[in-house]
Amino acid sequence: GAGVSQSPRYKVTKRGQDVALRCDPISGHVSLYWYRQALGQGPEFLTYFNYEAQQDKSGLPNDRFSAERPEGSISTLTIQRTEQRDSAMYRCASSAPFAQHFGDGTRLSIL
Amino acid sequence: GEDVEQSLFLSVREGDSSVINCTYTDSSSTYLYWYKQEPGAGLQLLTYIFSNMDMKQDQRLTVLLNKKDKHLSLRIADTQTGDSAIYFCAESIETGGSYIPTFGRGTSLIVHP
């Protein structure tokens, strides 16, 4: 596609459930990034990949959060045993090489 | 303190110029960016400037960089109501061939007719 695509756009789930958020980057972009954005804040870095290799996961809040990009294209961010504090907008971006292009995000609400 | 700081709100009249300011802390920043976020939409890259430049102009947008003071500004000429949005400043440092931006909290620009 022309831009970064994220799905679902909205996800509402009960506390304790696992969720998987998907990102389809711009074709040919090597780097893919995940961010979390709370209301009234700028995006906060979580992790990024070059091709299929996870280069930096220092921003992941704890071990309930994980991400993969097995074939160097589509990426999945997984949150296990969700908690209310995980509620936020989760944004994906891809770049080639220094300017990031963002998707519209997934709004995650944990009840 | 925050790495990238911006004022939270700016209100201007339609047709006037808007100037959104940003300060950052990392002197080794390589690229600096301005993003625009409209309600319900993703972040749109407006413009960026490489750290060895002082100014960049793109149609109604002018970016000024004062590297000594670590100050970045975005000027929007002839501001329109469609320019109302949140504007994020970001800095990035090259790490292993990638550039990971650090974002400010965003400045809400409100344009009055």
Side-chain angles (χ1 to χ4, degrees), chain B residues 87-102:
Chain B
Y87 290 81
F88 290 94
C89 169
E91 61 167 350
S92 71
I93 304 164
E94 189 272 336
T95 306
S98 292
Y99 299 84
I100 303 175
T102 299

Side-chain angles (χ1 to χ4, degrees), chain B residues 2-88:
Chain B
E2 293 195 11
D3 295 326
V4 180
E5 292 193 4
Q6 308 176 234
S7 55
L8 294 183
F9 299 98
L10 177 65
S11 178
V12 300
R13 190 173 298 177
E14 189 175 19
D16 289 350
S17 292
S18 307
V19 180
I20 304 172
N21 294 300
C22 167
T23 57
Y24 60 97
T25 57
D26 200 321
S27 58
S28 57
S29 293
T30 310
Y31 285 96
L32 296 116
Y33 310 84
W34 284 103
Y35 283 84
K36 177 182 181 183
Q37 182 178 344
E38 294 180 272
L43 278 78
Q44 172 195 355
L45 177 64
L46 279 181
T47 187
Y48 62 90
I49 188 168
F50 190 53
S51 58
N52 67 355
M53 297 169 64
D54 297 324
M55 185 181 87
K56 181 177 180 181
Q57 188 154 3
D58 183 3
Q59 298 181 337
R60 293 190 298 121
L61 305 179
T62 303
V63 178
L64 293 178
L65 174 61
N66 181 329
K67 201 172 180 183
K68 174 176 169 289
D69 294 339
K70 301 190 190 72
H71 183 268
L72 183 75
S73 68
L74 173 69
R75 179 177 181 269
I76 305 172
D78 186 25
T79 314
Q80 303 297 306
T81 54
D83 296 323
S84 293
I86 302 175
Y87 290 81
F88 290 94

Side-chain angles (χ1 to χ4, degrees), chain A residues 9 31 33 35 37 40-43 45 48 50 56 91 97-100 102-104, chain B residues 2 31 33 35 37 40-43 45 48 88 95-96 98-101 103-105:
Chain A
R9 285 295 307 275
S31 299
Y33 306 78
Y35 293 85
Q37 186 176 11
Q41 302 289 326
F45 171 77
Y48 89 96
N50 281 342
D56 185 340
R91 295 195 186 275
F98 53 79
Q100 298 189 351
F102 283 80
D104 287 344
Chain B
E2 293 195 11
Y31 285 96
Y33 310 84
Y35 283 84
Q37 182 178 344
L43 278 78
L45 177 64
Y48 62 90
F88 290 94
T95 306
S98 292
Y99 299 84
I100 303 175
F103 288 84
R105 292 182 62 183

